[in-house]
């Protein structure tokens, strides 16, 4: 993309949503100070997650996700959409390891309140909703700013979530910086939080700190794409009473997501 067309897209975004555009500027600036984190992932992360959840291992639910995963891929395909990396502008759909963490967390924790940031085509949202339906309890609130510079992608928002699964879902449009604090105040407690929105260190830290105050004892945070900066490592260091786990993505060496467990 040329500099001129990039600037044109930014200008159109400023006109369409001036507050969101203004909130994006400090994020963009803060990225200049980010440096890659050198994490060692834990090969036993799934065992540890199940221990945190008080669930058995080997997990009888684990492989059931494979069927759902194939369904999601084929339903997206019938809409002309591919499941994978960088399918929503520069943003990616969840990959299978993150999806497994989400699936098992919801099934075993049986949460009342799940909050996520970052929907795009809604792969993680679908997995949460499918698991909530199986539990026959709980609700998902998803905060999402549709791609600020690629309006043509907006029609894809939530494409992986069929109407039949929307009963337990509240979609809140806007940046997490604007929407998350008020949502958390209105909910009082969160059992499970999933960060998959803007992966700057500044935004990740903001979301994690905000949510920690509302996280229930025994609560879990699943934080995607922690590799490009130190936010997750710094958070783990600043809150040593929390158990933190670094988990490998299945499709990319050196790419990770993080888990946080607040002891009961
Ligand atoms: C990585 S994608 C989400 C993928 C999704 N969880 C899935 O599994 O399919 C990131 C999403 O967050 C949105 N986003 C970007 N900046 C945001 C912000 N500040 N607050 C909330 N959402 C944001 C993007 O437009 C995109 O829809």
């Amino acid at each position: 993309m040329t500099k001129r067309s990039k600037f044109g897209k930014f200008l159109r975004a400023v006109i369409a949503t001036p507050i969101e555009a203004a909130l994006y500027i400090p994020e963009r600036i803060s990225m200049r100070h980010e440096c890659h984190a050198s994490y060692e992932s834990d090969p036993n992360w799934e065992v540890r997650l199940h221990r945190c959840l008080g669930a058995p291992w080997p997990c009888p639910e684990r492989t059931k996700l494979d069927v759902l995963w194939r369904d999601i891929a084929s339903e997206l395909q019938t809409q002309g959409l591919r499941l994978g990396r960088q399918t929503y502008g520069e943003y990616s759909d969840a990959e299978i390891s993150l999806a497994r963490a989400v699936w098992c967390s919801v099934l075993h924790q049986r949460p009342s309140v799940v909050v996520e940031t970052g929907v795009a085509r809604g792969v993680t949202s679908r997995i949460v909703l499918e698991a909530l339906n199986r539990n026959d309890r709980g609700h998902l609130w998803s905060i999402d700013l549709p791609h600020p510079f690629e309006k043509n992608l907006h029609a894809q928002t939530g494409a992986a979530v069929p109407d039949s699964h929307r009963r337990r879902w509240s979609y809140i449009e806007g940046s997490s910086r604007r929407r998350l604090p008020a949502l958390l105040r209105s909910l009082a407690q969160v059992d499970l939080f999933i960060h998959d929105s803007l992966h700057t260190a500044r935004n990740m830290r903001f979301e994690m700190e905000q949510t920690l105050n509302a996280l229930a004892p025994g609560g879990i945070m699943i934080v995607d794409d922690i590799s490009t900066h130190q936010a997750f490592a710094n958070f783990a260091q600043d809150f040593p009473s929390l158990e933190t786990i670094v988990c490998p993505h299945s499709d990319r060496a050196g790419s990770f997501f993080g888990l946080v467990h607040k002891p009961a």
Side-chain angles (χ1 to χ4, degrees), residues 88 91-92 94 118-120 123-124 144-147 175-176 196-198:
Y88 184 83
Y91 297 108
S92 303
V119 171
V123 175
T124 45
D144 181 56
L145 181 67
H147 200 297
S175 63
S176 54
D196 198 10
S197 62
L198 183 64

Side-chain angles (χ1 to χ4, degrees), residues 18 21 37 55 61-62 94 133 147 157 212 247 254 260:
E61 306 293 348
R62 185 180 183 275
N133 275 348
H147 200 297
T157 300
L212 182 59
C247 318
V260 177

Side-chain angles (χ1 to χ4, degrees), residues 22-221:
L23 289 171
Y24 183 69
I25 293 168
E27 299 296 340
R28 192 73 221 174
I29 293 169
S30 73
M31 284 170 80
R32 291 193 192 152
H33 306 288
E34 290 179 356
C35 57
H36 221 83
S38 51
Y39 288 111
E40 285 275 329
S41 63
D42 187 337
N44 285 325
W45 69 269
E46 284 190 86
V47 181
R48 283 180 65 192
L49 172 61
H50 282 73
R51 203 178 299 141
C52 293
L53 293 164
W57 185 265
C59 173
E61 306 293 348
R62 185 180 183 275
T63 53
K64 292 179 188 152
L65 178 70
D66 298 341
V67 179
L68 173 59
W69 191 254
R70 281 194 290 275
D71 287 350
I72 294 172
S74 81
E75 286 166 26
L76 285 174
Q77 203 175 13
T78 58
Q79 299 174 59
L81 303 173
R82 179 178 63 84
L83 175 67
R85 289 274 171 196
Q86 297 182 334
T87 46
Y88 184 83
E90 69 275 32
Y91 297 108
S92 303
D93 302 309
E95 56 72 56
I96 188 96
S97 293
L98 179 82
R100 276 193 210 293
V102 170
W103 175 248
C104 285
S105 295
V106 179
L107 285 179
H108 297 307
Q109 193 198 34
R110 299 181 56 79
S112 304
V113 175
V114 184
V115 172
E116 76 168 343
T117 60
V119 171
R121 289 107 59 87
V123 175
T124 45
S125 316
R126 166 71 178 277
I127 291 165
V128 171
L129 291 165
E130 198 86 39
L132 291 178
N133 275 348
R134 283 193 43 179
N135 292 346
D136 197 19
R137 56 171 278 152
H139 196 91
L140 168 66
W141 282 263
S142 301
I143 295 175
D144 181 56
L145 181 67
H147 200 297
F149 308 118
E150 304 285 348
K151 271 204 170 296
N152 58 323
L153 296 172
H154 291 190
Q156 296 181 19
T157 300
V161 185
D163 288 346
S164 55
H165 286 63
R166 295 187 178 213
R167 191 169 54 94
R168 296 182 181 276
W169 194 29
S170 300
Y171 175 90
I172 301 167
E173 188 173 317
S175 63
S176 54
R177 183 74 54 174
R178 278 180 72 204
R179 301 294 192 206
L180 187 60
L183 174 65
L184 293 174
R185 275 196 301 276
S186 74
L187 294 173
Q189 259 200 348
V190 175
D191 301 304
L192 175 63
F193 175 71
I194 302 162
H195 159 88
D196 198 10
S197 62
L198 183 64
H199 301 305
T200 58
R202 185 175 185 271
N203 192 53
M204 192 178 280
R205 176 76 188 212
F206 170 77
E207 290 188 12
M208 291 178 79
E209 268 187 16
Q210 288 282 318
T211 306
L212 182 59
N213 294 327
L215 198 66
I220 300 275
M221 291 194 215

